[in-house]
Amino acid sequence: MLTLTSQYALRALVYLAQHEKEWPIPGWHIAQQAGVPAKYLSKVLGDLVRFGVLESSPGRTGGFQLRRSPKATMLFDVLSPFERFDRRRCPFENKECSDENPCQAHRAWKKVVDAEKRFLKGTSVHQASLPARKRGKAHAG
């Protein structure tokens, strides 16, 4: 499960990806449109600038934009500043659980964590910003 900070970062970057032609976008506007508290998002966006995911420009016409295109920005890059993917603790509270000293469910849980990382490293912000395609038959006519 992602932290609230990571969820806010994703919302903000999905909004940026959907509005690429409007870059740079002021932080307050991103917060308003993404439904995130502006003060909290300001810190999150600042962290993403420091980690090289975003660029910022000051002034009245300034704001934020992705450093790379939405297609080249992977979800893993967005979340890495806020999540510890390599240090996921045992969800069963087994304090002694590790690769060297696994609990009964360790190997199965490790597969889940590894699948999560593969998904995040293989999915771009662009893909996450696209609406789901409607399924159904096309109408003739």
Side-chain angles (χ1 to χ4, degrees):
M1 184 162 181
L2 296 176
T3 64
L4 185 60
T5 301
S6 290
Q7 292 174 39
Y8 286 170
L10 284 177
R11 280 195 218 168
L13 268 72
V14 163
Y15 181 80
L16 280 168
Q18 292 171 335
H19 297 87
E20 185 174 2
K21 292 180 180 168
E22 300 166 30
W23 290 355
I25 301 175
W28 66 265
H29 183 79
I30 298 168
Q32 185 179 54
Q33 297 302 309
V36 177
K39 192 171 183 177
Y40 196 116
L41 187 63
S42 177
K43 181 185 178 329
V44 172
L45 295 175
D47 288 343
L48 289 169
V49 168
R50 281 188 290 286
F51 279 91
V53 176
L54 294 178
E55 292 179 349
S56 66
S57 52
R60 288 179 50 122
T61 59
F64 294 89
Q65 65 187 55
L66 291 166
R67 180 159 283 174
R68 296 186 312 258
S69 76
K71 289 181 180 180
T73 304
M74 297 297 133
L75 296 180
F76 188 83
D77 300 326
V78 174
L79 298 175
S80 291
F82 313 111
E83 299 288 332
R84 301 286 181 233
F85 294 108
D86 293 332
R87 297 184 197 155
R88 294 280 179 163
R89 286 192 286 157
C90 179
F92 311 108
E93 304 279 333
N94 294 320
K95 292 180 172 95
E96 305 296 321
C97 184
S98 67
D99 285 345
E100 296 77 28
N101 187 28
C103 71
Q104 293 286 327
H106 183 81
R107 285 181 183 80
W109 178 245
K110 188 170 169 108
K111 288 179 185 178
V112 171
V113 172
D114 290 345
E116 176 187 44
K117 283 199 298 195
R118 277 192 309 278
F119 169 77
L120 295 172
K121 287 181 177 185
T123 305
S124 69
V125 172
H126 172 76
Q127 290 169 296
S129 69
L130 297 174
R133 293 186 182 180
K134 291 183 180 178
R135 294 186 179 163
K137 296 180 181 178
H139 294 274

